[in-house]
Amino acid sequence: KKITKRQKIKPFVKYVNYNHIMPTRYQVPAEVQPAALVTEQQMDSSDGRVEAKKYVKMLLEEKFLAPPADKTGKPSKDVLYLRKKLRF
């Protein structure tokens, strides 16, 4: 029960200035094209944004629960890292 609760994703959709993006060691998989997920028409209306959030949530939860394999065929380390409990 706790694990399923921890695996919930709450997506958000907003415009981002490319000058303010910081590089990280985590990357979006090649099969997920961020520009194709949300269109300009969806961002114009609130109903479109809600629909886009639902689609992004479904896609990200699918990738998170069944992580893509890397070159060796094992699940990607980036997704497995996100599943671990934070140590404080």
Side-chain angles (χ1 to χ4, degrees):
K1 183 177 177 183
K2 287 184 179 181
I3 293 173
T4 57
K5 186 176 180 182
R6 198 181 329 149
Q7 290 178 345
K8 295 290 181 187
I9 295 174
K10 182 161 174 104
F12 61 92
V13 179
K14 69 180 209 176
Y15 288 108
V16 177
N17 186 348
Y18 279 109
N19 295 331
H20 296 150
I21 295 178
M22 294 293 292
T24 65
R25 64 180 177 169
Y26 301 107
Q27 299 176 354
V28 176
E31 61 267 5
V32 178
Q33 293 295 327
L37 295 177
V38 181
T39 62
E40 290 286 332
Q41 291 81 16
Q42 288 177 325
M43 290 297 289
D44 289 340
S45 66
S46 62
D47 294 335
R49 283 192 298 273
V50 170
E51 180 182 317
K53 286 180 198 176
K54 288 180 182 178
Y55 176 68
V56 170
K57 180 178 180 173
M58 179 204 55
L59 186 71
L60 291 176
E61 282 183 347
E62 176 184 312
K63 294 291 178 193
F64 185 70
L65 295 176
D70 59 2
K71 295 177 185 175
T72 61
K74 296 180 182 178
S76 176
K77 290 182 182 179
D78 297 340
V79 177
L80 295 178
Y81 171 77
L82 293 174
R83 287 185 176 182
K84 291 183 181 177
K85 187 175 183 179
L86 295 176
R87 299 281 184 196
F88 289 109

